[in-house]
Amino acid sequence: MNTMYLVNAWNPVKGGETVKENIVPSYLPAAAVTLEKKDTGETATLYRPYEAFPMDTLIQHGEQNECGALLQLGQRYHFGVLGAEQDYDKAYACLKKAAELGAQDAQALLALYYILDEPGILPHDAAQFVKMLTLAAENGSWRAMEALSNGYREGSEGFSVDHEKAFAWAVQAERMLKFYWAFYDRPDFVDFKELQKEILMSHSRISLLLSRYCGDGIGTKRNLQKAMEWTISGEAFVCSITGLAKVPMFQERRKQLQERMQKEEQRARNKEKHAKKKK
């Protein structure tokens, strides 16, 4: 299907990486379904995710070089789910084609083939794994952004611990997740609940992580007020989508930060009082 990304500017990340701003998937992750009203004969076109289609239909879409269908086929063959037998050779072929057509998440999944032993398709190369994962993130994959943030934070295979990069990629992921939510929350997109749930859960993880980074001064300057802002914005995002009035894990984080802020304020008052006594 036609390329569907929108780029307004480039946003720098520490270490020379850049991320496209305001990007949406560079492929349409859904197939068009035309429905006709029985009473009027009017037609309407809706879009269903490729996850909703059986294997035989999905294969037909893939044979038409539909990028989203090839990505979905690659994912099914890779994990052995939704009617597909696990087959790394088929998965790699589909993912490679989808990546060439611009699917960011195909690039992210292909990166794993450089560090997973079982597929045995690509030579083990941790540096190439990080390089391809970074490419996927630069092209707008929030999954790749979160993986990079985790990799730099934990120092997992191919990564050296770099908390500033971990923080920077988490910031990018939080921004991108909101943009993707707006893209998938279209009235003509149906059956996207599972993907939206994934976005919501990822955004919550990232928001709390950013709050911790700022609260503890990890990868960025320690700033309890900023930590509180990440907490409040994360909860607000969940509440705006779900209709909840509050979210327990964010409420708990707010309570922790409020207690820390109160202690800091008390220490500042005590310090000021002590300084006055000295005079």
Side-chain angles (χ1 to χ4, degrees):
M1 291 201 172
N2 293 334
T3 297
M4 290 190 63
Y5 62 79
L6 170 68
V7 180
N8 288 338
W10 292 90
N11 202 6
V13 177
K14 180 186 176 293
E17 299 90 344
T18 52
V19 179
K20 296 172 184 176
E21 285 224 21
N22 295 340
I23 194 171
V24 296
S26 56
Y27 58 93
L28 189 60
V33 178
T34 302
L35 303 177
E36 183 177 316
K37 292 184 179 179
K38 290 182 178 179
D39 52 348
T40 64
E42 291 181 75
T43 60
T45 300
L46 301 176
Y47 296 90
R48 299 188 70 202
Y50 287 108
E51 290 93 324
F53 291 94
M55 277 297 291
D56 56 350
T57 304
L58 186 62
I59 289 171
Q60 290 174 14
H61 283 282
E63 289 172 347
Q64 299 300 314
N65 281 332
E66 293 179 20
C67 186
L70 288 165
L71 169 60
Q72 174 61 201
L73 280 169
Q75 291 171 331
R76 291 193 193 188
Y77 286 130
H78 179 84
F79 295 107
V81 295
L82 298 177
E85 294 282 336
Q86 190 172 53
D87 187 321
Y88 290 119
D89 289 318
K90 286 184 178 179
Y92 180 79
C94 291
L95 291 170
K96 188 171 184 295
K97 183 64 175 176
E100 290 169 353
L101 292 171
Q104 305 99 318
D105 288 330
Q107 295 168 344
L109 189 50
L110 276 174
L112 289 175
Y113 281 63
Y114 284 103
I115 61 170
L116 294 177
D117 294 328
E118 191 174 353
I121 294 171
L122 297 176
H124 194 95
D125 190 332
Q128 191 63 29
F129 159 66
V130 176
K131 182 179 178 181
M132 182 166 284
L133 194 62
T134 301
L135 175 65
E138 289 171 351
N139 284 333
S141 169
W142 90 79
R143 295 182 180 92
M145 292 175 187
E146 186 173 8
L148 285 170
S149 179
N150 292 336
Y152 283 118
R153 187 177 77 254
E154 299 165 0
S156 53
E157 184 170 8
F159 294 92
S160 56
V161 174
D162 188 326
H163 290 298
E164 288 187 38
K165 280 190 176 182
F167 175 76
W169 278 116
V171 170
Q172 294 294 337
E174 192 275 340
R175 176 180 67 86
M176 196 61 66
L177 282 159
K178 285 181 176 177
F179 199 82
Y180 269 74
W181 176 271
F183 178 74
Y184 287 119
D185 193 34
R186 290 166 38 170
D188 57 344
F189 273 24
V190 296
D191 297 332
F192 273 83
K193 296 300 182 185
E194 286 303 312
L195 182 53
Q196 289 176 323
K197 181 180 177 182
E198 183 184 358
I199 291 172
L200 191 61
M201 292 175 65
S202 182
H203 187 274
S204 295
R205 288 194 303 270
I206 290 291
S207 296
L208 289 171
L209 179 63
L210 287 168
S211 176
R212 183 169 69 83
Y213 278 163
C214 290
D216 296 341
I218 301 173
T220 187
K221 185 177 179 181
R222 186 174 179 273
N223 187 327
L224 291 179
Q225 184 56 46
K226 189 63 180 175
M228 182 65 82
E229 289 173 10
W230 283 119
T231 304
I232 291 172
S233 67
E235 184 175 38
F237 185 68
V238 175
C239 291
S240 68
I241 291 166
T242 63
L244 295 171
K246 55 186 178 180
V247 183
M249 61 183 175
F250 286 106
Q251 288 291 306
E252 179 61 28
R253 178 60 179 164
R254 289 175 74 159
K255 181 181 177 182
Q256 294 171 356
L257 289 170
Q258 285 168 349
E259 291 174 352
R260 290 173 64 181
M261 292 168 85
Q262 289 170 358
K263 287 179 180 179
E264 287 206 351
E265 289 170 2
Q266 185 61 52
R267 280 196 294 267
R269 285 194 292 269
N270 291 341
K271 186 177 181 181
E272 184 180 357
K273 187 177 180 181
H274 182 70
K276 286 181 179 179
K277 281 186 177 180
K278 273 192 172 183
K279 290 182 180 179

